[in-house]
Amino acid sequence: MKIFNLFNREKKETLDKGLAKTKQSVFAKLTKAIVGRCKIDDSILDELEEILITSDVGVDTTLKIIKRIEKRAASDKYVTTEELTAMLREEIAELLTENKTDSMDDFTLPADRKPYVIMVVGVNGVGKTTTIGKLAYQFKKKEKRVFLGAADTFRAAAVEQLTVWSERIGVSIVKQKMGADPASVAYDTLNSAKANNADVAIIDTAGRLHNKIGLMNELTKIKQVMKKVLPDAPHEVLLVLDGSTGQNAFEQARQFTAATEVNALAITKLDGTAKGGVVIGISDHFHIPVKYIGLGEGMEDLQVFNKKAFVDSLFGE
């Protein structure tokens, strides 16, 4: 059965596998909550609320979903597990649509912005540099010319890791010595990308959250320097979050959205957790589209987020 025009069977299987822990947790609890019941009453809604919150959907988003389910169920005296999960699937898909988390072409770059500049932000340990490598791999697969900028100059390991990725994939990297000015690296990267007719430039940044003011100043400086090369850069500020950290990911999103103008999200490590609901909650709370999700260690395991595929994998088709 063809469900997604741009979502092939292999990617769907990876998504199903990656969300298996969350699905098992949610679906098992949902089935237990509704068994032997013949209608959606307050007790079922209370249990549904607990299920969503423990899946890290977040309190505010959970209450929004519960209110919608309650309204829909008001006229329906009887309900089955299938009917309730269908309601959940539809309401969550609608929430993701409202927050502009919509399906997009598979790693497509805008034709009118060249090079397309992505500035990647996020704390250390969330999979930021790995996500950059996987993005570069996907763009290279599409025969795009890719430049990486190693602007996380405070951590030698970050520069080394990005260099390994560049060599492994076969893309260009711009880097300077340890402790160099990150804005200078970003400036050099964009100049090189522009001079070499690159399609995309991806800039890594320091993953520090020592204080909001320092972070804001650093990211602002990088953006200002980029504009000297390309006035509309960066085109995308991509915040990488670790989905397995649940509510901590919410706090990181709060800090970074206060520090810079984040306009896209990548949520990683969803394959190792039952907290996949964090994708729904963060998208709804911050009104920033989830663009990519990470479902494993392999280079193919970073996927463009497809809301319909995600919801169907989570609640069954």
Side-chain angles (χ1 to χ4, degrees):
M1 182 172 65
K2 287 188 177 179
I3 301 174
F4 320 110
N5 293 332
L6 298 170
F7 212 82
N8 64 36
R9 184 181 299 275
E10 186 179 340
K11 289 180 181 177
K12 184 62 167 61
E13 288 174 355
T14 300
L15 183 60
D16 288 344
K17 184 179 177 181
L19 294 176
K21 289 185 179 180
T22 300
K23 179 178 179 178
Q24 184 178 15
S25 174
V26 171
F27 210 79
K29 291 175 183 175
L30 193 62
T31 302
K32 186 178 179 181
I34 204 170
V35 67
R37 312 286 185 91
C38 62
K39 63 179 180 178
I40 297 179
D41 54 21
D42 288 343
S43 63
I44 287 182
L45 290 173
D46 287 344
E47 290 190 58
L48 178 57
E49 181 179 321
E50 183 180 347
I51 291 167
L52 293 174
I53 289 174
T54 55
S55 299
D56 279 276
V57 171
V59 175
D60 292 341
T61 303
T62 291
L63 293 178
K64 191 182 293 186
I65 293 169
I66 294 297
K67 188 174 289 186
R68 292 184 179 197
I69 295 292
E70 188 175 23
K71 184 177 180 180
R72 286 184 59 171
S75 58
D76 298 328
K77 185 177 180 182
Y78 300 101
V79 65
T80 64
T81 304
E82 290 76 14
E83 288 169 335
L84 182 55
T85 53
M87 286 185 194
L88 273 173
R89 184 171 63 240
E90 290 163 11
E91 293 304 332
I92 289 171
E94 182 62 27
L95 270 183
L96 292 171
T97 299
E98 289 170 9
N99 295 310
K100 303 186 189 307
T101 296
D102 215 343
S103 305
M104 56 172 277
D105 289 350
D106 205 8
F107 296 99
T108 299
L109 293 167
D112 59 342
R113 296 173 181 177
K114 188 174 179 178
Y116 185 72
V117 181
I118 305 172
M119 185 171 83
V120 184
V121 301
V123 301
N124 296 331
V126 297
K128 180 165 57 71
T129 307
T130 300
T131 297
I132 293 171
K134 291 177 180 179
L135 267 178
Y137 167 74
Q138 293 291 349
F139 292 137
K140 178 73 184 295
K141 263 181 58 176
K142 287 187 164 288
E143 300 183 344
K144 301 298 182 182
R145 182 169 290 185
V146 183
F147 269 69
L148 303 181
D152 184 356
T153 58
F154 295 94
R155 232 173 24 103
V159 177
E160 292 168 4
Q161 187 182 4
L162 200 63
T163 301
V164 169
W165 273 105
S166 72
E167 293 171 349
R168 182 181 178 189
I169 300 164
V171 299
S172 301
I173 185 170
V174 176
K175 57 186 177 180
Q176 295 182 12
K177 63 182 180 180
M178 181 72 178
D181 181 11
S184 175
V185 177
Y187 181 82
D188 287 351
T189 304
L190 263 61
N191 266 324
S192 295
K194 187 177 179 181
N196 288 279
N197 198 33
D199 296 290
V200 58
I202 311 174
I203 312 296
D204 193 10
T205 62
R208 300 173 304 155
L209 268 178
H210 53 291
N211 63 73
K212 289 183 184 178
I213 295 174
L215 177 68
M216 185 180 295
N217 290 342
E218 184 177 299
L219 296 178
T220 299
K221 182 181 177 183
I222 292 173
K223 289 167 71 175
Q224 288 173 342
V225 167
M226 285 183 185
K227 292 182 186 300
K228 293 180 179 180
V229 184
L230 293 169
D232 57 347
H235 305 110
E236 185 174 308
V237 179
L238 179 68
L239 172 60
V240 181
L241 299 168
D242 180 348
S244 69
T245 63
Q247 291 303 300
N248 191 37
F250 273 83
E251 182 56 31
Q252 290 173 24
R254 191 172 290 110
Q255 297 255 12
F256 274 96
T257 53
T260 192
E261 296 175 3
V262 175
N263 57 12
L265 298 172
I267 301 182
T268 66
K269 306 183 185 181
L270 290 174
D271 56 307
T273 181
K275 299 176 181 290
V278 72
V279 174
I280 303 160
I282 286 178
S283 169
D284 180 57
H285 188 83
F286 295 98
H287 301 284
I288 299 171
V290 177
K291 195 167 184 179
Y292 307 107
I293 53 174
L295 299 160
E297 295 299 321
M299 287 197 289
E300 298 280 0
D301 293 334
L302 182 73
Q303 291 189 359
V304 169
F305 183 73
N306 182 305
K307 71 174 188 296
K308 191 177 190 316
F310 178 85
V311 174
D312 282 344
S313 285
L314 203 55
F315 293 105
E317 296 174 10

